[in-house]
Amino acid sequence: MTTSLRCYDCGRTATLEDGKRCVCGEPLWFDVDAANFEWPDGDTAEGMWRYRDVLPVSSGPGVAPGGTPLHRAEGLDADVGCRLSVKVEGQNPTGSFKDRGTAVGVGYVLEAGTDWIGTVSHGNMALSTSAYAAAAGLDCAVFVPTDTPAERLELMARHEPHIFRVEGHYGQLYADTLALETDVRFVNSDTPLRVAGQKTVAYEILEAFAPDVPDAIALPVSSGGQASGVWKALRELETAGLIDDPPRLYVVQAAACDPIATAFREGRDEVTPVDGGDTIAVSIANSDPPSGTRTLAAVRDTGGAAVSVTDDETRDAMALLATTAGLSVEPSSAVALAGVRALARDGEIDADEEVVTILTGSGYKERFDTDVDARTRTIALEALADEVESVVDR
Amino acid sequence: MTTSLRCYDCGRTATLEDGKRCVCGEPLWFDVDAANFEWPDGDTAEGMWRYRDVLPVSSGPGVAPGGTPLHRAEGLDADVGCRLSVKVEGQNPTGSFKDRGTAVGVGYVLEAGTDWIGTVSHGNMALSTSAYAAAAGLDCAVFVPTDTPAERLELMARHEPHIFRVEGHYGQLYADTLALETDVRFVNSDTPLRVAGQKTVAYEILEAFAPDVPDAIALPVSSGGQASGVWKALRELETAGLIDDPPRLYVVQAAACDPIATAFREGRDEVTPVDGGDTIAVSIANSDPPSGTRTLAAVRDTGGAAVSVTDDETRDAMALLATTAGLSVEPSSAVALAGVRALARDGEIDADEEVVTILTGSGYKERFDTDVDARTRTIALEALADEVESVVDR
């Protein structure tokens, strides 16, 4: 189990016990020697554990995350404007991409022989951590904003974590938990253990395309933890000699709260907090992303971009996925597809390019305000034949 | 594309266009020549399509169902009373096992070059059919009872099917749709196309154990369509010479509505309708299962049993899965685990036996009446350190 960390920016090293940030202020990640990594042909480890050689732990409790479908969604090509594939992360055990990082975090706590794990989250990560802690027999503390909907809390409560609704600034809460002197191992969204797990989604995408490489990968961004993981994976795969020309990374935010896209647009090197407004993409409404600057470095390094989309564009993308690909995703996932559509429209992505959009979470965990009565009709059984023909013959 | 059907009971043959039932009254299934079937080592088809050689169609639209985790849940062995594995069918694209049969049905309609697909369902099957029809560009009509909760209808509505809420007897609706002269291909839960798809879950389980064979497979039963599919798979795998001694099939119902378990208990050869009462396992509360008698034959043929459990036993099993395995399942899935627990307690299943329980659907699509306030505590950010220590030190 390696515990050696490195700062992506200044190159300083640290250990996992030193803290979660570099002394320069930027986030750390695991210092992995990937030079000899090869695609694990024939490996029978479940899900993401096939990449255990480049992970800080080699297994974890519960159902293995990963191994999610990479689906070539030809039906959307014309509408979106590229050769589109979607990585369906909602098919992870708790319905989101967060399970990958959680599994590494929980696996680490188990190997370390300690008892507690914790996280700070709007929903998906708290649910994921609660579930995997239960599978591991660990105690779990999750910290959520006070405006977290009751229906999300109910999903978490099934796994019996300690749930704290915290009154105060979310960004401060995120930082304060990491600074605590406590036996609780916090695996927040851009911490090294979590980023190590999140990178496996890119390993899966790149292995599926090998020996080819997609032209671009697009994903929604909140803290920047997943974007950092994807970037890390690309760098490791370059080191391993498995890819020459990495895909461009496109990260997408909701326009109402887009500190990373703003910094990119303004040509800045550093992401600074914004006053975020309301958006339907609540899971990614992060006004002060702890790995924002790292994400900016990732998109610049790969020739990509950070962009934002309106809620209307997000709604359109969500409907397109549901009615054309049969996929129900959470709004934050649709943000990424809306971003690809906008980039294609603007000529940044070409129609013949292979683009993978990461659909981070299932839409089935959320309820929307749909007028169900307007979308259904009530009939008597005796009228069945007539009613069927009335729609078929239309 | 084979369209040859056979009656499991009297052996008569028919074609898919003849109708959905044998002239003897029992349901039909596809007449598959499995003698030369071999485990498809090295096959790279996605999900369940690796078994296309024994399916009526070789591919379908949308994200491929199947390839779901088979998880060895050691943590539950002592409590349940056997060596337990769970097949996590909630990780299918629309969150339930129904996607397997849907994919075959939709694939068939596409190959046949017609436009319409339909189904009769309490929820999961209607959602699944709506989603895959959308992915295929087919028109879709779903028929649900009038008491189907609005939140389920909302999930379906996202994929824009025609939703009919039908006033009248559900069993009659099921039969009437199959008797309609219409361009709509109804893929109800025990129709041949659907049963063909549902059998792939057993192929996956048996391939994962090969060359060994689990001692038993347990599953919830409603119409009997899935149980029929699993039995069909076992018979085909015996024909192929891939298993000698098939696992015992245990099918489990909710005690409030258990026509198959009642017939089994009473030693009858035929399942007759019951007056079903209320149960939390609404998805399987089928008082007149169309493949009930076939299911009875399946459990007798394999040396298994049909049993029922109380809602309290189901709640216990659901909580056990959530707090010990990190799995949130719908009540109908927990019914199967509760059944295994009861069978082990009664000595029908031994502690050293390998038992696979099929967890048919995700629990995240449903909401439970949890007193969230009682399960959370609201704190001020300033009190973070004290609050954390107050639970850790306990």
Side-chain angles (χ1 to χ4, degrees):
Chain A
M1 180 162 56
T2 175
T3 59
S4 171
L5 305 181
R6 187 178 294 274
C7 176
Y8 80 94
D9 191 30
C10 73
R12 284 190 189 87
T13 58
T15 76
L16 195 56
E17 301 315 318
D18 287 339
K20 282 84 180 178
R21 313 285 291 189
C22 180
V23 290
C24 80
E26 281 299 288
L28 297 157
W29 57 26
F30 279 94
D31 199 15
V32 175
D33 180 7
N36 298 315
F37 177 79
E38 294 178 8
W39 294 123
D41 293 335
D43 190 280
T44 58
E46 292 176 342
M48 60 177 258
W49 299 116
R50 68 191 270 102
Y51 307 110
R52 62 193 176 282
D53 289 350
V54 289
L55 292 174
V57 292
S58 57
S59 67
V63 177
T68 55
L70 178 69
H71 176 63
R72 177 73 182 90
E74 302 102 332
L76 279 71
D77 286 1
D79 201 317
V80 174
C82 62
R83 294 172 54 83
L84 181 73
S85 296
V86 290
K87 182 68 172 166
V88 192
E89 287 289 281
Q91 285 183 230
N92 276 300
T94 75
S96 89
F97 71 118
K98 289 293 187 182
D99 290 339
R100 298 175 184 270
T102 300
V104 169
V106 171
Y108 178 86
V109 173
L110 275 180
E111 282 200 27
T114 55
D115 295 330
W116 280 87
I117 192 161
T119 199
V120 173
S121 163
H122 283 95
N124 279 331
M125 192 162 56
L127 175 60
S128 174
T129 305
S130 301
Y132 279 88
L138 296 179
D139 288 310
C140 176
V142 300
F143 296 82
V144 301
T146 48
D147 62 356
T148 304
E151 65 172 26
R152 290 193 187 184
L153 299 176
E154 189 269 312
L155 297 183
M156 297 169 207
R158 297 177 189 181
H159 304 293
E160 299 190 351
H162 297 266
I163 304 174
F164 295 88
R165 303 159 91 168
V166 186
E167 294 168 334
H169 186 266
Y170 185 77
Q172 192 62 46
L173 168 64
Y174 187 98
D176 284 0
T177 53
L178 297 182
L180 282 176
E181 295 212 1
T182 173
D183 292 335
V184 181
R185 164 72 54 183
F186 278 91
V187 187
N188 293 359
S189 67
D190 83 328
T191 53
L193 288 164
R194 186 165 291 280
V195 169
Q198 301 306 150
K199 80 179 175 187
T200 60
V201 69
Y203 271 82
E204 289 182 10
I205 293 168
L206 273 290
E207 186 176 11
F209 272 87
D212 294 333
V213 176
D215 296 294
I217 296 175
L219 63 157
V221 60
S222 175
S223 69
Q226 180 177 230
S228 300
V230 170
W231 185 33
K232 183 73 157 62
L234 298 181
R235 291 170 60 142
E236 290 173 4
L237 291 170
E238 278 190 281
T239 302
L242 293 172
I243 59 173
D244 286 329
D245 188 18
R248 311 191 299 275
L249 286 188
Y250 292 105
V251 300
V252 192
Q253 303 196 285
C257 187
D258 65 345
I260 302 173
T262 299
F264 182 82
R265 206 163 45 231
E266 295 176 353
R268 287 191 271 120
D269 290 334
E270 201 172 316
V271 173
T272 50
V274 296
D275 280 332
D278 286 342
T279 166
I280 58 169
V282 283
S283 304
I284 58 167
N286 193 324
S287 60
D288 185 11
S291 278
T293 298
R294 184 162 62 175
T295 300
L296 209 52
V299 301
R300 292 230 173 87
D301 178 56
T302 59
V307 298
S308 58
V309 295
T310 67
D311 279 2
D312 280 346
E313 291 175 298
T314 297
R315 282 191 198 92
D316 285 350
M318 198 156 44
L320 184 68
L321 285 164
T323 60
T324 311
L327 292 168
S328 182
V329 301
E330 62 176 345
S332 306
S333 301
V335 160
L337 184 65
V340 172
R341 221 174 177 186
L343 288 160
R345 191 185 56 215
D346 296 345
E348 168 77 23
I349 288 174
D350 291 337
D352 63 354
E353 290 197 300
E354 298 277 355
V355 179
V356 179
T357 299
I358 301 178
L359 302 177
T360 44
S362 166
Y364 293 135
K365 290 191 287 184
E366 300 196 35
R367 296 290 171 273
F368 305 128
D369 289 330
T370 301
D371 180 356
V372 168
D373 289 332
R375 303 286 288 275
T376 62
R377 70 171 86 184
T378 301
I379 66 168
L381 180 52
E382 294 71 32
L384 180 68
D386 289 343
E387 290 287 347
V388 170
E389 292 320 299
S390 77
V391 296
V392 171
D393 291 343
R394 242 190 352 205
Chain B
M1 179 163 58
T2 176
T3 59
S4 171
L5 305 182
R6 186 177 295 275
C7 177
Y8 79 95
D9 191 29
C10 72
R12 284 189 188 87
T13 57
T15 76
L16 194 55
E17 300 315 317
D18 289 338
K20 282 85 182 176
R21 313 284 293 188
C22 180
V23 291
C24 79
E26 280 299 289
L28 297 157
W29 57 27
F30 279 94
D31 198 16
V32 174
D33 179 8
N36 297 314
F37 177 80
E38 293 179 9
W39 295 124
D41 292 335
D43 190 281
T44 57
E46 290 176 344
M48 59 177 261
W49 299 115
R50 69 191 271 103
Y51 307 111
R52 62 193 177 281
D53 289 351
V54 289
L55 292 175
V57 292
S58 58
S59 67
V63 177
T68 55
L70 177 69
H71 176 62
R72 177 73 181 91
E74 301 103 330
L76 278 71
D77 286 0
D79 201 317
V80 174
C82 62
R83 293 171 55 83
L84 181 73
S85 296
V86 291
K87 181 69 172 166
V88 191
E89 288 287 280
Q91 286 184 229
N92 276 300
T94 75
S96 89
F97 71 118
K98 290 292 187 183
D99 290 339
R100 297 176 184 271
T102 300
V104 169
V106 171
Y108 178 86
V109 173
L110 275 181
E111 283 200 25
T114 55
D115 294 331
W116 279 87
I117 192 161
T119 200
V120 173
S121 163
H122 283 95
N124 279 332
M125 192 162 55
L127 175 61
S128 174
T129 305
S130 302
Y132 279 88
L138 296 178
D139 288 311
C140 177
V142 300
F143 296 81
V144 301
T146 47
D147 62 356
T148 304
E151 65 171 26
R152 289 193 189 185
L153 299 176
E154 189 268 313
L155 297 183
M156 298 169 206
R158 297 177 190 180
H159 303 293
E160 299 191 351
H162 297 266
I163 305 175
F164 295 88
R165 303 159 92 166
V166 186
E167 294 167 335
H169 186 266
Y170 186 78
Q172 194 61 48
L173 169 64
Y174 187 97
D176 284 359
T177 53
L178 296 182
L180 282 177
E181 295 211 1
T182 173
D183 292 335
V184 181
R185 164 73 52 182
F186 276 91
V187 186
N188 293 358
S189 68
D190 82 328
T191 53
L193 287 165
R194 187 166 290 282
V195 169
Q198 301 306 152
K199 80 179 176 187
T200 60
V201 69
Y203 271 83
E204 288 182 10
I205 293 168
L206 273 290
E207 186 176 11
F209 272 87
D212 294 332
V213 175
D215 296 293
I217 296 176
L219 62 156
V221 60
S222 174
S223 69
Q226 180 176 232
S228 300
V230 170
W231 185 33
K232 183 73 158 61
L234 298 181
R235 290 169 61 142
E236 290 173 3
L237 291 170
E238 277 190 281
T239 302
L242 292 172
I243 59 174
D244 287 328
D245 187 18
R248 312 191 299 276
L249 285 189
Y250 293 105
V251 300
V252 192
Q253 302 195 287
C257 187
D258 65 347
I260 303 174
T262 299
F264 182 83
R265 205 163 45 232
E266 294 175 355
R268 288 192 271 120
D269 289 336
E270 201 171 315
V271 174
T272 50
V274 297
D275 281 330
D278 286 341
T279 165
I280 56 169
V282 284
S283 304
I284 58 168
N286 192 325
S287 59
D288 185 11
S291 278
T293 298
R294 184 162 63 175
T295 300
L296 209 52
V299 301
R300 291 230 173 86
D301 178 56
T302 59
V307 298
S308 59
V309 296
T310 66
D311 278 2
D312 279 346
E313 290 175 299
T314 297
R315 282 192 197 91
D316 285 350
M318 198 156 41
L320 184 68
L321 285 165
T323 60
T324 310
L327 292 168
S328 181
V329 300
E330 61 176 347
S332 306
S333 301
V335 161
L337 185 65
V340 172
R341 222 174 175 185
L343 288 160
R345 191 185 55 216
D346 296 345
E348 169 76 23
I349 288 174
D350 291 336
D352 63 353
E353 289 196 302
E354 297 277 355
V355 179
V356 178
T357 299
I358 301 178
L359 302 178
T360 45
S362 166
Y364 293 134
K365 290 192 286 183
E366 301 197 36
R367 296 291 172 272
F368 305 128
D369 288 330
T370 302
D371 181 355
V372 168
D373 288 333
R375 304 286 288 275
T376 61
R377 70 170 87 181
T378 301
I379 66 168
L381 179 53
E382 295 69 34
L384 179 69
D386 289 344
E387 291 286 348
V388 170
E389 291 321 298
S390 76
V391 297
V392 172
D393 290 343
R394 237 181 9 197

